[in-house]
Amino acid sequence: MARRAQSGLKPIHLVGLLLLLGALIGLGYVMLNRTTDPMTGITALSTEEYLESSTALSGNTYRIEGTVDDRLDNWRAMDGRLFSVQVSEAGSFLPVWVPANLETNIQRGQRYVFKVRVLETGILEVLELLKA
């Protein structure tokens, strides 16, 4: 007498199917909730190098992250604003000039990531900023 093949799903098949389904759901969640950092690929500014010779770095673009300490000027807002930013890595304060065309509301104590260009005067001109 010939034996018939057993039909139906075995428990190992159900476990494999559940693992595959979980992996697909997890991958979909990661793909939908990923964010891109526009500051990726920009060199971080070395505070020590900047404090030693800021003019040697002029014209270069860097990334800094820090907390806005205070406004340093009494310029008209249409000319831009100069802030001191406490950099996280060393606790040093750096001068950061925010041009008027950025039109952002910067307040003391807020943490930002800045894309800056070193001017010939040694001041850091903000090209882009993100609230951290």
Side-chain angles (χ1 to χ4, degrees):
M1 188 188 272
R3 298 183 89 173
R4 293 181 68 189
Q6 210 175 16
S7 62
L9 291 176
K10 295 182 180 178
I12 192 74
H13 292 135
L14 289 175
V15 170
L17 187 62
L18 287 176
L19 287 174
L20 181 63
L21 184 63
L24 288 175
I25 290 172
L27 181 63
Y29 178 79
V30 168
M31 294 298 284
L32 290 175
N33 293 318
R34 68 179 177 181
T35 58
T36 57
D37 182 9
M39 303 284 183
T40 303
I42 301 172
T43 307
L45 177 67
S46 169
T47 324
E48 293 81 24
E49 277 185 54
Y50 175 80
L51 293 175
E52 280 180 24
S53 178
S54 60
T55 55
L57 302 174
S58 66
N60 295 329
T61 303
Y62 297 99
R63 174 183 194 258
I64 61 170
E65 184 174 347
T67 305
V68 174
D69 180 53
D70 203 3
R71 186 170 172 179
L72 297 176
D73 62 359
N74 290 322
W75 297 346
R76 299 179 313 217
M78 61 187 282
D79 293 333
R81 295 166 291 165
L82 187 66
F83 293 96
S84 68
V85 174
Q86 184 175 13
V87 180
S88 342
E89 69 180 45
S92 303
F93 292 90
L94 302 178
V96 173
W97 178 60
V98 180
N101 64 354
L102 286 181
E103 298 178 4
T104 57
N105 184 17
I106 298 176
Q107 297 175 356
R108 281 191 268 174
Q110 289 181 340
R111 187 165 186 73
Y112 288 95
V113 178
F114 299 94
K115 177 180 177 182
V116 296
R117 179 177 52 221
V118 182
L119 299 176
E120 292 176 2
T121 58
I123 294 177
L124 302 170
E125 176 187 16
V126 175
L127 303 173
E128 295 178 41
L129 67 138
L130 296 171
K131 200 169 189 179

